[in-house]
Amino acid sequence: MSTTTAPAPTEAHVPEQRRLTPEDVAARTSPRNSVRETVSQTLTMAWRSTKKMRRNPEQFFDVIIQPLLFTAMFTYIFGGAISGDVKSYLPIIIPGILAQTALTACMAMGTQLREDMDKGVFDRFKSLPIARIAPLAGPAVADVIRYVIAATLTILVGLAMGYRPGGGVGGTVAGWALTIVAAWSLAWIFTWLGTIARSAQAVQGISMMIMFPLSFMSNAFVNESTMPDWLQTFVKVNPVSHVVTAVRDLMNDGHLTADVGWALLGCAVVVAIFAPLSVRSYKRHL
Amino acid sequence: MNVIPAVHAEGLVKTFGDFRAVDGIDLHVDQGEIYGVLGPNGAGKTTTLKMLATLLSIDAGTAEIFGVDVRRDPHRTRQLLGVTGQYASVDENLTAMENLWLFGRLQGVASEKARRTAADLLGQFALEEAADKPISQFSGGMRRRLDLAASLITRPPLIFLDEPTTGLDPRTRGQMWDTIRGLVADGCTVLLTTQYLDEADQLADRIAVIDRGRKVAEGTPDELKTSVGNSTLQLQLTSPGDQDDAASVVRRLLGEEPVLSPESGRMNVALEDADRAADVLIGLREAGIGITSVSVDKPTLDEVFLALTGHDTGADNDELELEAAR
């Protein structure tokens, strides 16, 4: 008469014998989610996000339009002024645009999550015995698709404009991969914003205020030695600068430099801080 | 056999700022019963349910679901219950089938089995034709049914239903009632909230009446209704000045105190038996008191409320607020 497994629909019901005893309750519940369960729940949530993306293709506009437009625009506008000609600017700007595109692509996480959390289905997610990180990590996993599109298109546009990475195929792929890792890590900042802000518009506004200084107050577009001292100080601690330098080292020289290590460490620190913060504030919304 | 209650809560309190939304509610629901929590909008029904479902923190008091402490062990609690809210909590971007599969997978049901169970449930809830349609094309009743189906995918032993039929047309409401009865026949325990005495009456084995965050009465539907009579005679007197005379006629004939609305000249009389209405009417005729309209109705939640709390449900205000909120 145990109820440890879900009874088959055809099973004749004998309600009196279905009454749960404390032993039944202990047998059909577990005290917490195992790591395996958490991973499975996260992947299921990622599946949900990909379904959503497929039904709302406008979610791909930014990661398609921006690499095409920004890469061409910034290169032709700044190329002559900064590097003398467009061709010699490409090794500087392509890694820069990669980082900037990654940043804007992952910025959408916060707005998306905030909009999603306002919907009724999140009430159900909260009432289910699932790991609290799954509804946050699932969309993050699915969002990798968008970062892949953004990074790939940016590199392709660069190649079409005459960029010939000195690091060869290996270096280029490594730079591409680092861009995606960085985007995924920085996305947790915006995820956290999504869980604390009151509305999607608020998330959008705050995200812009974070995105612009992070991407422009870095070495993404110009050499930081041309900037005033105080600005250089910020540029040097900005994780985006480290990512840009690391991607340049990888793509242009094929070198695995210390900056690659710093960039990866910076990403890890961002995730280590903002993932737990996001889960905590998501829980508090209960 | 050592049988534990499905729900046991003592002194539940929830405050929002200075407002005590739930102010010391005790609930005891035995396994296998349908327990109704009856009250107007804003009485604290949904807040109580949300606390028991781990969706809101409990400010004071204790709650146990099948003996599991809700506050100490929310994860175990969530494995024992399914919640169906006032507004359909299903994913608008997915089809009905995808929704059920998602909720099954999230709770560890294997993919193939989740698909089979989902198909079974869609059949059981007459949704199989809509299985692959997006939810945005669903009617209110279909959404509500899908929402309930989503709560059943792991067959939890306890189901919370928050106003399961609010906003549904009478036919769909009847279908929902049948479904809820079916759940209990399958061995489920159901805790539901409702604004309709009629619904609690039809479904619930026991009812708690909640007002302003407190439980004002508890009992079987029959016990509650006899507190206000089985039906109500509503009279509109020709001249409001006759009220005192009319009231004394009622007292003499029925031994009951009528409920008067002095400004409008209306008078409500609780009747044990609808037949006694004729006695009152004849009595009034003999006393020479004129009436402009008369009706005999089943007691409404408003009357139960008035009888239990001495004030009305404020339902009209709530309706207006709802309108304004839209």
Side-chain angles (χ1 to χ4, degrees):
Chain A
M1 55 133 280
S2 153
T3 29
T4 48
T5 52
T10 47
E11 190 183 285
H13 59 261
V14 192
E16 280 304 320
Q17 295 196 349
R18 286 271 186 90
R19 303 287 146 91
L20 299 184
T21 63
E23 293 74 35
D24 296 329
V25 171
R28 67 179 289 154
T29 60
S30 65
R32 63 189 65 83
N33 282 299
S34 67
V35 174
R36 228 186 100 213
E37 283 167 335
T38 307
V39 170
S40 154
Q41 289 155 5
T42 302
L43 292 178
T44 307
M45 287 305 231
W47 170 85
R48 166 179 179 267
S49 296
T50 60
K51 280 275 170 194
K52 223 173 98 180
M53 285 180 189
R54 230 190 297 171
R55 279 170 199 153
N56 302 287
E58 63 272 18
Q59 286 192 33
F60 291 112
F61 282 5
D62 61 335
V63 293
I64 292 173
I65 307 284
Q66 196 176 318
L68 299 178
L69 192 68
F70 277 27
T71 312
M73 196 174 74
F74 279 111
T75 313
Y76 288 122
I77 292 175
F78 296 136
I82 294 173
S83 298
D85 62 76
V86 166
K87 189 136 182 108
S88 45
Y89 187 47
L90 281 168
I92 300 173
I93 185 73
I94 295 300
I97 291 274
L98 270 177
Q100 201 216 8
T101 312
L103 205 53
T104 37
C106 70
M107 203 181 81
M109 270 292 294
T111 354
Q112 291 278 343
L113 183 70
R114 179 70 262 170
E115 276 174 4
D116 221 12
M117 277 173 65
D118 290 336
K119 288 184 189 143
V121 69
F122 258 74
D123 276 345
R124 184 176 295 281
F125 292 150
K126 285 171 188 164
S127 77
L128 294 180
I130 56 172
R132 303 286 106 175
I133 197 170
L136 308 178
V141 170
D143 228 35
V144 169
I145 299 174
R146 286 165 25 89
Y147 312 149
V148 167
I149 294 175
T152 310
L153 278 180
T154 307
I155 293 175
L156 287 179
V157 172
L159 291 175
M161 289 173 70
Y163 176 43
R164 296 294 171 262
V169 177
T172 309
V173 171
W176 171 85
L178 180 59
T179 307
I180 293 162
V181 169
W184 189 84
S185 310
L186 294 175
W188 283 100
I189 301 179
F190 300 104
T191 300
W192 175 66
L193 278 179
T195 58
I196 56 164
R198 278 175 181 275
S199 68
Q201 279 98 330
V203 181
Q204 180 85 19
I206 305 169
S207 300
M208 284 289 183
M209 272 169 16
I210 294 176
M211 193 277 287
F212 274 106
L214 275 186
S215 63
F216 284 99
M217 287 159 81
S218 75
N219 60 358
F221 303 100
V222 292
N223 190 329
E224 77 269 24
S225 61
T226 62
M227 301 175 193
D229 285 347
W230 58 270
L231 191 53
Q232 283 192 38
T233 318
F234 179 81
V235 169
K236 278 180 189 141
V237 296
N238 185 349
V240 175
S241 302
H242 290 286
V243 173
V244 171
T245 312
V247 172
R248 278 180 192 148
D249 292 344
L250 288 167
M251 292 179 75
N252 296 333
D253 312 320
H255 289 160
L256 209 61
T257 56
D259 265 298
V260 178
W262 284 117
L264 287 174
L265 182 69
C267 290
V269 169
V270 166
V271 177
I273 293 173
F274 287 96
L277 276 181
S278 306
V279 173
R280 208 179 69 161
S281 110
Y282 172 65
K283 269 189 186 167
R284 197 173 314 148
H285 265 286
L286 298 188
Chain B
M1 188 161 96
N2 186 4
V3 172
I4 34 178
V7 178
H8 185 82
E10 276 174 25
L12 284 184
V13 172
K14 182 75 200 174
T15 51
F16 298 110
D18 289 339
F19 175 59
R20 293 173 83 82
V22 174
D23 193 6
I25 285 182
D26 302 335
L27 282 181
H28 184 98
V29 182
D30 282 322
Q31 289 190 40
E33 75 175 342
I34 302 185
Y35 190 93
V37 176
L38 178 69
N41 274 331
K45 307 186 298 286
T46 302
T47 309
T48 306
L49 222 60
K50 281 192 161 175
M51 281 195 282
L52 294 173
T54 75
L55 291 173
L56 275 177
S57 61
I58 297 172
D59 288 349
T62 59
E64 288 183 355
I65 302 290
F66 294 106
V68 174
D69 189 315
V70 174
R71 258 210 281 200
R72 257 208 326 261
D73 214 341
H75 184 68
R76 263 189 215 277
T77 306
R78 291 182 191 119
Q79 292 168 70
L80 293 165
L81 49 88
V83 190
T84 293
Q86 237 169 88
Y87 300 101
S89 38
V90 286
D91 195 326
E92 303 271 330
N93 290 294
L94 303 180
T95 66
M97 183 71 189
E98 287 166 349
N99 261 292
L100 297 186
W101 185 83
L102 170 78
F103 297 127
R105 285 294 294 139
L106 283 176
Q107 293 172 86
V109 183
S111 177
E112 210 22 64
K113 186 165 184 248
R115 212 177 302 278
R116 274 202 314 273
T117 316
D120 283 348
L121 281 169
L122 289 173
Q124 196 184 324
F125 285 79
L127 290 167
E128 64 248 273
E129 278 169 33
D132 297 319
K133 283 195 189 146
I135 311 294
S136 48
Q137 294 176 18
F138 275 36
S139 68
M142 287 163 79
R143 276 172 196 240
R144 220 54 90 78
R145 294 208 298 278
L146 179 64
D147 201 11
L148 182 52
S151 303
L152 301 179
I153 196 121
T154 52
R155 306 202 161 251
L158 175 63
I159 306 278
F160 287 172
L161 298 171
D162 192 13
E163 305 202 3
T165 66
T166 300
L168 295 187
D169 63 67
R171 193 177 60 92
T172 324
R173 172 175 295 178
Q175 288 172 350
M176 200 64 170
W177 287 353
D178 290 339
T179 309
I180 294 168
R181 290 190 191 101
L183 293 179
V184 177
D186 282 346
C188 259
T189 306
V190 173
L191 175 60
L192 66 88
T193 70
T194 181
Q195 301 185 42
Y196 310 118
L197 179 63
D198 174 34
E199 180 161 284
D201 187 14
Q202 287 282 334
L203 287 174
D205 299 309
R206 281 190 309 133
I207 299 174
V209 182
I210 307 272
D211 177 46
R212 296 176 184 176
R214 290 174 177 279
K215 186 164 78 178
V216 290
E218 185 173 25
T220 64
D222 284 339
E223 285 165 2
L224 282 183
K225 278 189 298 178
T226 41
S227 70
V228 285
N230 282 323
S231 52
T232 314
L233 172 65
Q234 297 173 336
L235 292 165
Q236 176 74 50
L237 303 179
T238 313
S239 58
D242 289 341
Q243 267 196 341
D244 291 340
D245 295 339
S248 64
V249 168
V250 172
R251 271 195 294 273
R252 177 166 53 79
L253 287 170
L254 302 178
E256 290 259 4
E257 193 61 40
V259 180
L260 304 172
S261 320
E263 9 8 283
S264 61
R266 284 172 58 85
M267 184 169 91
N268 286 2
V269 184
L271 298 173
E272 279 296 321
D273 180 349
D275 287 350
R276 302 299 304 269
D279 298 345
V280 175
L281 294 177
I282 293 165
L284 291 176
R285 157 82 57 87
E286 283 168 353
I289 299 168
I291 47 180
T292 54
S293 78
V294 60
S295 66
V296 179
D297 278 319
K298 293 198 144 198
T300 62
L301 174 58
D302 278 286
E303 280 146 353
V304 175
F305 248 79
L306 196 58
L308 289 170
T309 66
H311 65 87
D312 65 24
T313 56
D316 294 341
N317 291 337
D318 285 333
E319 296 279 320
L320 285 177
E321 276 166 28
L322 266 180
E323 290 292 318
R326 286 191 197 115

